[in-house]
Amino acid sequence: MDPIIRTQGLSKDHRIGRQSFRALDKVSLTVHAGEMVAVMGPSGSGKSTLLHLLGCLDRASSGAYWFRGRNVAGLADQDLARLRGRHIGFVFQSFNLLSRASALENAELPLIYAGLPRRARRTKGQAALERVGLGSRLHHAASTLSGGEQQRVAIARGLVNEPALILADEPTGALDSSNGHDILVLLKALNATGITILIVTHDASVAAHAQRQVRLLDGSVASDRRIARSLEPLAGGAPGA
Ligand SMILES: Nc1ncnc2c1ncn2[C@@H]1O[C@H](COP(=O)(O)OP(=O)(O)OP(=O)(O)O)[C@@H](O)[C@H]1O
Ligand SMILES: [Mg+2]
């Protein structure tokens, strides 16, 4: 089976005026379906840049990226958007919710882009919110939810298209440790159902829950190691299980 992610010499140059700045430098990375990988490294080392490329939100300057065996560079913008919409879920540090829309409307958003009819959107949006433990908050405006709840809505939105891959950029960064812990429990439970997860984190205790830690330094992979998975199961159980 093809790995879900394979990159070869993946690089990204940003233009700043006449200068070009290399944010990602020849990253070769293979991730197999079902892995949970922590991406670490100092600020500015290229973590978000890598996630944007892997999530097909941006295109590489050079190098190759195969998503489930498909060469991403060869895809037209429309096909790239479709691939993203069907297979990839995103979770960001700042939640990026529509504040006046309800939890359900937020969770449904990717399905609107995917062109699903209203009823199917409702059903799937509701199921995703139930999966993250927010079945009782469907119609609450996002702005009225707590930080932890907002991040769970964001995860529901990332889940709603039943992605094979979830890319999470500092998903616990804006949360206190207790809420951050709950989000981690949730991501681990999703990983246990077979979803591949890449999680960017500064926090070693968060990274300790991944099976693998990739460390970036100045845009390159400085280390890539498998670790024994966290010693004990996190309390809290699998949401929706
Ligand atoms: N659009 C852009 N234009 C110019 N430079 C950029 C752009 N995006 C990122 N960079 C630069 O590329 C480098 C890597 O940025 P990136 O956001 O990937 O870092 P990061 O590892 O996610 O950092 P942090 O931990 O602070 O989020 C940084 O030096 C940043 O200033
Ligand atoms: Mg970043």
Side-chain angles (χ1 to χ4, degrees):
M1 206 169 92
D2 286 315
I4 185 160
I5 289 170
R6 186 157 84 84
T7 75
Q8 192 75 57
L10 202 68
S11 301
K12 179 71 186 179
D13 300 311
H14 288 296
R15 287 219 149 272
I16 304 155
R18 289 194 192 165
Q19 310 262 5
S20 167
F21 177 83
R22 177 149 283 205
L24 209 63
D25 190 26
K26 301 196 191 84
V27 168
S28 298
L29 185 70
T30 299
V31 177
H32 291 281
E35 282 195 275
M36 179 158 171
V37 182
V39 178
M40 306 187 72
S43 182
S45 59
K47 305 180 298 294
S48 297
T49 302
L50 176 63
L51 238 62
H52 280 82
L53 293 181
L54 296 179
C56 304
L57 290 167
D58 200 0
R59 287 180 185 273
S61 305
S62 59
Y65 173 25
W66 294 269
F67 179 81
R68 292 173 139 181
R70 283 180 84 186
N71 179 1
V72 166
L75 297 178
D77 285 351
Q78 205 180 345
D79 295 326
L80 207 59
R82 190 171 311 142
L83 182 154
R84 193 169 62 223
R86 289 215 183 133
H87 302 295
I88 303 175
F90 296 93
V91 182
F92 301 99
Q93 174 174 4
S94 55
F95 319 148
N96 293 356
L97 299 177
L98 303 175
S99 61
R100 278 193 276 183
S102 70
L104 188 54
E105 287 161 344
N106 272 285
E108 285 178 4
L109 216 54
L111 303 176
I112 295 182
Y113 298 135
L116 240 73
R118 189 186 163 87
R119 272 183 79 102
R121 294 203 308 260
R122 286 277 124 128
T123 311
K124 283 176 182 270
Q126 186 169 341
L129 285 167
E130 281 165 3
R131 218 165 151 188
V132 301
L134 285 180
S136 62
R137 298 284 193 281
L138 302 180
H139 302 292
H140 291 229
S143 60
T144 66
L145 298 173
S146 74
E149 287 169 343
Q150 290 188 33
Q151 190 57 303
R152 281 189 278 153
V153 172
I155 291 176
R157 182 187 55 193
L159 269 179
V160 76
N161 57 354
E162 295 162 45
L165 173 66
I166 289 184
L167 299 170
D169 199 345
E170 290 277 359
T172 63
L175 301 174
D176 63 38
S177 63
S178 159
N179 276 305
H181 176 269
D182 290 348
I183 293 302
L184 199 56
V185 169
L186 183 56
L187 290 173
K188 281 187 89 170
L190 294 172
N191 176 242
T193 70
I195 300 177
T196 308
I197 297 186
L198 262 71
I199 175 172
V200 169
T201 182
H202 280 110
D203 185 340
S205 67
V206 170
H209 291 284
Q211 304 141 338
R212 181 176 166 194
Q213 296 179 354
V214 172
R215 190 173 291 274
L216 295 183
L217 203 59
D218 295 332
S220 301
V221 175
S223 69
D224 182 351
R225 58 194 187 100
R226 256 161 229 297
I227 52 172
R229 210 165 184 186
S230 60
L231 328 160
E232 58 211 274
L234 286 168

